[in-house]
Amino acid sequence: MTTAQGSAPGAGAKADFDAIIIGAGFSGMYMLHSLRDKLDMNATVFEAGDGVGGTWYWNRYPGARCDSDSYIYCYTFDKNLLQEWTWSERYPEQDEILRYLEHCAERFDLKPDIQFGKRVVGMAFDDSTELWTVRTDKGDVATARFVITAVGALSAANTPPFKGLETFKGKWYHTSQWPHDGVDFTARRVGVIGTGATAVQAIPEIAQQAKHLTVFQRTPAFCVPARNGRVDPEVTKARKADYEGIRQRIKDSFFGFELSFLPKAVLDTTPEEREQEFDRMWDAGGFAFWLANYQDMFFSKEANDVIADYLKRKIRSTVNDPVVAEKLTPKNYPYGTKRQPLDTNYFETFNKKNVLLVDASTDGPIEEITPTGIRAGGKEHPLDIIVVATGFDALTGPLKKLGIKGRGGRMLAQEWELGPQTYLGVAIAGYPNLFTITGPQSPSVLSNMPVSIEQHVEWITECIAHMRRNKLSTIEATAQAQDAWGAHVAEIVSSTLMPGANSWYMGANIDGKARRFLPYLGPEGVSGYRRKCAEIADKGYEGFVFARQGQGGTMQPIAAE
Ligand code: NAP
């Protein structure tokens, strides 16, 4: 039982904590710092892992590194922190990001208020006390006025129910639940299932060590080179001198990067002109090819085909065996509608003698896992180790797993069976005083995550500060505002090519999951979304209702101060 003295805003029923935060990754750590150190609130964090870091605590597979440039994949809220931390590489490795987050935890003295090794397994809103009760797998029962989920969008591992997995006599690992002391592939026959962003990072690394690697591909990926490397100290110096500008530019950008679409349609260019642009983006490496390409790429199939053709030619010119190259070439979805994997020697790896590609369409899908390997297309592939790189039940999965019960016992997991329903991706009608950092229907995974995390944390902090100033005890999205937001999210995406892919953005990677576009792809990206959230706050939190203590169940709109 965890208890602590708390002073709930709006007075009334005494809670153990003013706020409970779930998760101690990028978002939970900043949320704790904001509520505790800016608003002087009594906040605690429940974290399932034994350390801070979230994604970067769990995902320790070989080759794990960030696909965002390090100088912007970090907190920007503290000027001194930006000056004192120096990234070694363009894309930091998992252990460097974890060291960074450890450093932040120490620097802001966060650990005393984080309860490690405790997974939240249930939480319920009590209509009479207007408090949340949160339960953990270690038996804790704690109450709080506010709950803020900081559980990440990609934290609920998806292990498909492969027939026979439990009979496998070797070892198998999901990439997001990787052993902390690593896995030795030396002299082993290894199978990797999946070819998404994770596998694209892991496959070249594993192939270097393993005796033999078999890659089981269901859908080929369009890859672009990462072009990782040490960061020139002069570049680092210039960036440090310009962090104010950088911060503003990423906040004002579409995706939270220093990237913008070319203000031109690819179909209006000559083949020579666009080839030059493609070469430039290809040589730059990273997300430029995906997020700073011609502006019609996400809207016109014809335009998309022209751009995809460049990437297909790259595959064919890199992979020696034309049959393997063909298998690795995406054919049935538009480029960019699945998350762009960044690669370092991914396609080159299939030229190695110890690497075999088993493609579901041409060789046959995985039929079963046997005690000694994987059978696909009627052929058994003997294996000692299986790496399951099959991704996540994205965005909604981590929230559904919390066992959230709102007003009158309504259950979030049930209500979301046909897809998420939120207001701005940060609040849910019927679930008062619950905030979801980078939740579904917010820009979240379609942005450089720290940018969206900081925006949500700062908006939530200001909202709670507003409630405290006005002695308000609950805030709740209205069903009308929520419906309108859901319709807006769906309408925007329907004008793009995004629904044309069986992506995890669409929920299509999980059997039985409703096919809905999960993040928010607003017309002006993260900058437009930020403005929208700010306008809503300025209008007295339009689309929300507040109540003072004791008005539970009969909430009245209350004007802002
Ligand atoms: P993913 O993109 O969902 O890829 C999973 C792979 O497993 C896909 O190739 C998928 O095929 C395959 N798969 C799923 N179920 C299968 C089944 N039943 N049978 C056979 N194959 C199956 O997952 P991920 O690669 O872990 O990446 C998830 C996300 O994590 C990324 O998109 C990215 O946002 C994030 N990530 C970030 C970084 C970074 O920045 N450092 C690195 C890695 C990942 P289909 O394509 O056919 O579904």
Side-chain angles (χ1 to χ4, degrees):
M1 163 91 177
T2 303
T3 53
Q5 292 307 305
S7 55
K14 240 351 189 195
D16 297 328
F17 297 100
D18 295 333
I20 290 175
I21 298 158
I22 307 175
F26 261 103
S27 43
M29 288 169 60
Y30 184 30
M31 195 75 246
L32 172 63
H33 173 55
S34 297
L35 295 184
R36 189 193 65 182
D37 303 334
K38 292 182 192 157
L39 299 191
D40 199 24
M41 286 172 71
N42 171 24
T44 195
V45 180
F46 286 123
E47 164 55 54
D50 289 327
V52 298
T55 285
W56 304 104
Y57 174 87
W58 296 105
N59 286 266
R60 295 170 189 243
Y61 59 85
R65 65 174 72 246
C66 182
D67 285 340
S68 294
D69 284 64
S70 52
Y71 76 100
I72 47 171
Y73 192 80
C74 55
Y75 293 125
T76 63
F77 67 84
D78 187 297
K79 286 184 183 145
N80 297 329
L81 175 61
L82 284 168
Q83 295 305 318
E84 74 199 24
W85 185 267
T86 300
W87 295 101
S88 66
E89 291 183 292
R90 178 172 178 185
Y91 309 99
E93 264 187 299
Q94 171 270 334
D95 69 331
E96 189 171 357
I97 306 175
L98 194 55
R99 275 204 309 282
Y100 168 76
L101 290 169
E102 281 283 352
H103 168 75
C104 296
E106 294 299 329
R107 193 181 188 286
F108 297 108
D109 194 25
L110 300 177
K111 286 191 180 171
D113 293 303
I114 303 175
Q115 304 188 43
F116 291 106
K118 295 179 175 182
R119 184 177 289 282
V120 169
V121 291
M123 48 183 277
F125 183 75
D126 182 326
D127 294 286
S128 58
T129 61
E130 296 174 337
L131 299 179
W132 283 95
T133 301
V134 175
R135 289 183 296 108
T136 77
D137 61 349
K138 297 288 158 37
D140 301 86
V141 180
T143 55
R145 182 150 303 272
F146 296 99
V147 174
I148 300 103
T149 63
V151 289
L154 298 161
S155 55
N158 165 42
T159 301
F162 293 114
K163 186 178 163 204
L165 181 58
E166 69 293 346
T167 67
F168 183 58
K169 290 218 177 78
K171 298 260 186 224
W172 72 269
Y173 308 94
H174 191 284
T175 46
S176 74
Q177 293 157 349
W178 204 256
H180 286 200
D181 47 1
V183 176
D184 187 3
F185 296 106
T186 315
R188 300 300 174 124
R189 296 163 305 176
V190 183
V192 172
I193 306 178
T195 52
T198 297
V200 165
Q201 290 184 334
I203 284 167
E205 299 286 326
I206 297 173
Q208 283 187 40
Q209 222 189 60
K211 182 167 123 198
H212 190 268
L213 172 64
T214 310
V215 176
F216 295 87
Q217 168 183 276
R218 188 166 71 176
T219 309
F222 284 105
C223 298
V224 164
R227 305 214 188 282
N228 189 33
R230 309 294 294 178
V231 184
D232 179 342
E234 286 305 310
V235 170
T236 300
K237 204 166 136 199
R239 283 176 178 157
K240 287 197 180 196
D242 183 32
Y243 253 124
E244 236 159 84
I246 291 171
R247 182 167 199 246
Q248 201 52 49
R249 288 196 292 279
I250 58 179
K251 283 167 88 167
D252 291 345
S253 70
F254 201 107
F255 293 110
F257 297 94
E258 289 196 276
L259 295 171
S260 6
F261 292 115
L262 295 170
K264 213 174 194 188
V266 73
L267 297 175
D268 292 342
T269 62
T270 63
E272 295 73 29
E273 183 187 347
R274 60 193 179 230
E275 195 76 3
Q276 247 183 24
E277 284 292 2
F278 294 154
D279 284 345
R280 186 186 54 74
M281 291 183 275
W282 176 265
D283 292 343
F287 286 146
F289 203 95
W290 188 34
L291 305 179
N293 215 310
Y294 290 96
Q295 63 182 16
D296 48 349
M297 184 183 97
F298 282 107
F299 300 95
S300 149
K301 178 70 172 54
E302 204 186 341
N304 193 284
D305 284 346
V306 171
I307 294 167
D309 177 66
Y310 180 87
L311 296 177
K312 292 179 184 182
R313 282 187 276 130
K314 288 288 183 192
I315 298 171
R316 290 172 185 137
S317 65
T318 308
V319 179
N320 298 338
D321 181 337
V323 177
V324 177
E326 228 24 60
K327 291 180 187 177
L328 287 166
T329 304
K331 298 190 177 62
N332 59 4
Y333 64 97
Y335 167 60
T337 54
K338 290 175 82 125
R339 159 62 149 77
Q340 169 72 70
L342 296 187
D343 87 277
T344 304
N345 296 328
Y346 175 68
F347 292 118
E348 289 83 346
T349 298
F350 293 92
N351 294 333
K352 287 171 94 102
K353 287 203 167 56
N354 67 332
V355 178
L356 173 71
L357 178 67
V358 176
D359 172 50
S361 309
T362 50
D363 302 309
I366 294 175
E367 288 148 5
E368 97 176 285
I369 296 183
T370 68
T372 52
I374 295 181
R375 192 165 59 239
K379 184 172 184 310
E380 171 138 6
H381 299 273
L383 301 168
D384 304 307
I385 298 174
I386 298 175
V387 175
V388 179
T390 47
F392 303 90
D393 182 356
L395 287 130
T396 49
L399 293 171
K400 283 176 160 186
K401 281 175 76 171
L402 295 175
I404 303 174
K405 287 187 185 172
R407 266 191 200 290
R410 59 203 290 174
M411 288 158 75
L412 186 89
Q414 250 177 29
E415 292 194 327
W416 281 15
E417 253 168 35
L418 297 179
Q421 300 169 61
T422 78
Y423 183 37
L424 301 171
V426 77
I428 308 161
Y431 300 80
N433 290 356
L434 172 66
F435 297 102
T436 53
I437 302 176
T438 61
Q441 302 185 332
S442 76
S444 185
V445 290
L446 281 180
S447 69
N448 177 30
M449 287 302 278
V451 176
S452 289
I453 286 168
E454 287 192 340
Q455 187 256 330
H456 263 181
V457 168
E458 287 159 16
W459 190 90
I460 293 165
T461 305
E462 179 43 36
C463 177
I464 292 176
H466 165 86
M467 291 175 68
R468 288 160 69 94
R469 286 194 297 272
N470 291 281
K471 300 201 171 9
L472 304 171
S473 61
T474 61
I475 178 169
E476 186 175 345
T478 66
Q480 295 90 316
Q482 177 166 284
D483 289 348
W485 185 252
H488 172 61
V489 171
E491 188 194 340
I492 300 261
V493 80
S494 67
S495 66
T496 73
L497 300 173
M498 298 303 275
N502 288 326
S503 64
W504 58 258
Y505 295 139
M506 294 297 303
N509 61 326
I510 305 290
D511 280 348
K513 187 166 175 172
R515 196 180 173 101
R516 290 273 185 290
F517 189 67
L518 295 168
Y520 173 58
L521 184 58
E524 290 166 84
V526 297
S527 64
Y529 175 80
R530 175 188 302 273
R531 253 195 325 279
K532 175 89 187 151
C533 290
E535 275 166 25
I536 283 169
D538 287 347
K539 289 184 191 159
Y541 294 89
E542 186 180 53
F544 290 94
V545 282
F546 292 102
R548 294 192 201 282
Q549 184 63 37
Q551 290 180 331
T554 56
M555 297 218 305
Q556 300 295 323
I558 291 174
E561 71 225 66

